[in-house]
Amino acid sequence: MNPSVARSALDAGLDCGADFAELFVEETRESNLLLKESKIDSAEAATAFGVGVRLIFGSEVLYAYTSDDSEESLVALARKLGSLRAAARKISPDSPFVLKPAARLREVLLDPRGAGQRAKLPMLQTLDRVARGAGARIAQVSASMSDAVSEIEIYNSEGLAVSDRRTRTRLALNVVAGEGDEKVSARHAPGSTLGFEFFKGLDLDLIARTTAEQALRMLGAGYVEGGKMPVVIGNGFGGVIFHEACGHPLETESVRKNASAFGGKLGEKIAHSCLTAIDDGTLPGVWGSIAVDDEGTPTQRTVLIENGVLKTFLSDRVGAAEVGVPRSGSARRESYELAPVARMRNTFIAPGTSSLSEMLASAGEGLYACKMGGGSVNPATGEFNFAVEEGYRIRGGKLAEPVRGASLIGKGPEVLPLISMVGDDLELASGICGASSGLVPVTVGQPTIKVDSILVGGR
Amino acid sequence: MPLESAVAFLAETARKSGADGWDLRAGASASEGVSVAGGRVDRLELRSDAGIGVRVFRDGRPGYASTGRLTRDAIGRMFRDAWDHTFLSDALRIDLPSPEEPSYRETGLYDPAVEALDLPRMEAFALELDRRVRSLSSEIAEIPELDAEKSVSETFFLNSNGVSFSRRRSSVGAGLGVVFERDGQTKMGVGQLHRRGPEALDAAYLADEAVARGSGLLGARPVEGGEWPVLLDRRVATRLVSLYASAFFALAVQKNQSRMAGKMGPAVASELFTLRDDPHRDGLFGSRAFDGEGVPTRGTTVLERGKLVSWLHNLESAAREGVRSTGNGSRGLSGPAGTSFNNLIVDAGATTRGEMLKLRPRMLLVTKLEGGTGCSALSGELSVGAQGFLVEGGEIVRPVDQITISGDGFRMLRDVVAVGDSYDDPFASRRVPDLLVSSLKVSG
């Protein structure tokens, strides 16, 4: 966008008395290739384009967007928006905008826009062939490779003008195993902020084989008997529970609305002293990393909980001001269609010192939730529900038979103090998180952990 | 360029391309909304958006692309992307529909009264709703979610055989989530309403609904685990039946992803259970004359008194079986067509809520599910956190929480022993009455 157009639109907002005005310009080009039933089921490309206009009056946010980026349209939109809250005119800084690219966390080697869809085809076929080769009971395999490149520009009334190119690549493999009336599925979906080199670096044989084997193992599994019991939660995607049950209430968006169980608890002990949790947007190449957040603030590593003590919240401009914490570079949005709010990036529990066998022995009788499926939480009450995708009974302190159909339910603030052991095997896993500013790529992660007691749903 | 011009330009590009066939979808929408949090206006939004997408066939091979930039360059590039994709994909042998008089005339999709509904009026409504709720209970801890929104959208469909239609729709919605607190326990109650016009802004209904659903759960505690008769409140029943509905899509059966495969004919559900797609009921949100692939819609009974009598088809699944599409194709601007119910309806029975509560000496009335991720249409698994009430001798005794209900979702349909006589929302596109299930496993 021509910076002078941005200036005119921002001035129109300030003319109405807004304390702060911002433009978010985005063009995202996505492509996806999906293989299903051993055939290319779909090949598609999509381009999204638009400009978001945000005016802030005090802590009240006025937001508008349009796909018409002409000066006339943007000025009219900013005026219309501002007219909803006309106040005394503010003065914008005089200096012209000089658009600066954000410092990259890591260079993209192969722009996926240049690599082309065709290059994905043999890799998808490999995944399909290897997964199907795992056994006659593999009923269906679908695999897709998607990439997106977003060019964004952010201008605000404080003189900020920053651009960024964000590249994301993701593989998704879903394997269904079936026998008679029974069917179970297993999924693996790694992602990155690298270019096409990410796909090239994956061990496709290993991914296909382990995913297929997981589905086959669960096909023969029985059902867990429900009830309260100790649960050892596996590393990697097991971190989804911390993300949902504790991460969301640590975002200022929950805290400022008085909808967080952790509001007002800065400096207090909210978890077992073995627990340290971090949200780090700076990890090079990792799926949830961002060079700058969607307000143009450089991202950072934020320690949320240190040895059980609550240190800070994840914040955006409005949330930081209202809650009284520093801005953490966590303002995020799905696209120009949504105003940014504080969101997680790469959130994980820091590694501890326990081994899996120590945790199993300590659990005695319980459940090993080796791989978690998805879940959800009500941030206002902390109540959560998660499905266990791959589970095993723990009997006599040792791993026993595979079980399926288990779910874990509880309340975040009540579960945190019950995390009594933390393993040394930290792993991160890619996911998509949904909240009020839409769907954003995030990483969840943890080492294997032991929770002393949690309600397990089963048959 | 305006959306109509974009449609004309893309159609002209497609006609000149030498494609075997194509269809295009385009849409534009404008909406305005207000959010209130903590008793004050948190956000006001004005949104306008447009997009266009194409599915093009070359030698039977499809290619898909879409764009939100409506310029000649961007649309031209999008069409080239779609065309390039036809060299990658495998053949999809379908016959695009030809012009045919639909058997249903769409009516009441647009309420002109939305034109007079401006943001200041919605803002005043939202603040009034906030005040009203707070006046109803002294146990309200916070109202973290309270929104009102109106939108107007226009969609276009056109294919290479000359099928074309456009649709203008309005929608007004309001909703709130209220957190109640007693003795350190917090519970949330949600109220929501969607209509074509401003009647959705019904503060009395929304406030009463949120209060009833939230404060009634205060004081909840678990019940002992075991097998329980469970009465699924109609809102919960609608959610659960919808989660398993994809097992009745022919495409899921053909792709080896449905447990209903091979079960056409015999009873797969209780004889009290009739499930249908009815796209021709005036006023329901899913009613339409054409589906997402331009096929005229028609009603389809899927389960007739428990017997599986028909799958739902889109063009792809119908072509694989050599039958006609049932008009259940769904498509966005880009990507392959899926299958969906237009209006998912489980026929109401004759039993009132009061009568159902008396059908077992003890039962659980479930009014809330904690997410739905433990439910899988593929495996049939059902394992989910729940809240509700303990019922004894036909009377509600006390609220219940911190329990899970588990079982097999398809078995649950067989175990339905009574069907309620009314629906949660008379205009929703998914309508399932209260369902009494003879037995589900409860852990607490």
Side-chain angles (χ1 to χ4, degrees), chain A residues 26-33 43-49 111-114 116-117 120 145-151 166-170 199 287 334-337 432 439-441, chain B residues 64-68 77-78 81-82 85 334-335:
Chain A
E26 176 191 356
E27 177 164 304
T28 295
R29 194 164 152 74
E30 292 179 282
S31 63
N32 180 53
L33 193 67
E44 55 180 308
T47 303
F49 172 75
D111 189 327
R113 294 173 296 190
Q117 294 268 68
K120 297 172 182 170
M145 286 175 164
S146 55
D147 55 76
V149 180
S150 299
E151 304 279 0
R166 295 168 177 177
T167 302
R168 284 201 162 80
T169 37
R170 196 172 193 202
F199 294 131
W287 174 247
E334 178 177 339
S335 73
Y336 65 88
E337 296 185 2
I432 297 286
L439 302 173
V440 298
Chain B
Y64 307 88
S66 67
T67 181
R77 185 173 78 171
M78 174 197 76
D81 280 342
H85 286 151
S334 182

Side-chain angles (χ1 to χ4, degrees), chain B residues 224-305:
Chain B
E224 71 274 15
E227 297 284 342
W228 281 79
V230 174
L231 176 56
L232 302 169
D233 163 80
R234 52 201 188 173
R235 202 192 274 188
V236 168
T238 301
R239 180 113 182 270
L240 274 180
V241 171
S242 302
L243 283 167
Y244 296 99
S246 64
F248 303 108
F249 300 163
L251 209 57
V253 176
Q254 293 160 1
K255 296 192 174 180
N256 213 357
Q257 290 186 322
S258 168
R259 271 191 40 197
M260 291 293 111
K263 301 212 162 113
M264 185 63 74
V268 296
S270 158
E271 66 168 9
L272 300 172
F273 198 86
T274 292
L275 171 67
R276 62 181 83 243
D277 176 47
D278 185 349
H280 297 170
R281 286 198 202 183
D282 289 348
L284 300 202
F285 261 71
S287 293
R288 49 181 66 101
F290 295 96
D291 76 358
E293 295 184 290
V295 175
T297 54
R298 55 187 165 108
T300 305
T301 302
V302 176
L303 296 175
E304 173 88 57
R305 297 181 61 77

Side-chain angles (χ1 to χ4, degrees), chain A residues 40 55 82 144 162 167 266 272 280-281 442 453:
Chain A
I40 290 299
L55 304 181
S144 69
V162 63
T167 302
L266 279 179
H272 195 283
D280 190 347
V442 296
S453 175

Side-chain angles (χ1 to χ4, degrees), chain B residues 38-198:
Chain B
R40 61 198 168 117
V41 173
D42 185 53
R43 189 168 298 172
L44 295 171
E45 295 192 330
L46 303 171
R47 301 179 281 256
S48 69
D49 216 3
I52 189 164
V54 69
R55 167 167 75 171
V56 60
F57 292 88
R58 187 191 56 81
D59 294 338
R61 295 160 179 261
Y64 307 88
S66 67
T67 181
R69 236 192 219 279
L70 301 187
T71 60
R72 291 173 76 91
D73 279 356
I75 294 170
R77 185 173 78 171
M78 174 197 76
F79 189 82
R80 284 195 300 280
D81 280 342
W83 184 257
D84 288 347
H85 286 151
T86 67
F87 290 87
L88 275 176
S89 60
D90 285 290
L92 173 64
R93 299 291 175 194
I94 61 173
D95 292 321
L96 296 177
S98 294
E100 186 182 341
E101 194 59 33
S103 59
Y104 175 70
R105 184 171 293 278
E106 292 176 356
T107 178
L109 299 184
Y110 181 79
D111 181 346
V114 295
E115 287 158 28
L117 181 61
D118 57 13
L119 258 180
R121 202 174 132 198
M122 284 193 280
E123 192 180 333
F125 161 80
L127 291 169
E128 162 58 21
L129 175 56
D130 185 90
R131 278 192 297 272
R132 181 184 277 263
V133 178
R134 289 179 197 275
S135 74
L136 293 179
S137 167
S138 58
E139 296 181 304
I140 292 176
E142 199 43 83
I143 306 176
E145 298 163 15
L146 194 159
D147 308 285
E149 178 183 280
K150 77 156 188 181
S151 73
V152 173
S153 68
E154 210 150 14
T155 52
F156 293 85
F157 178 92
L158 185 65
N159 79 9
S160 49
N161 293 339
V163 173
S164 79
F165 63 87
S166 65
R167 216 177 249 145
R168 189 162 194 235
R169 284 180 289 202
S170 59
S171 151
V172 179
L176 77 167
V178 182
V179 179
F180 299 85
E181 183 171 4
R182 185 190 299 160
D183 301 331
Q185 185 186 48
T186 52
K187 291 291 168 194
M188 191 182 224
V190 172
Q192 281 180 330
L193 206 52
H194 287 95
R195 295 289 181 265
R196 294 287 177 205

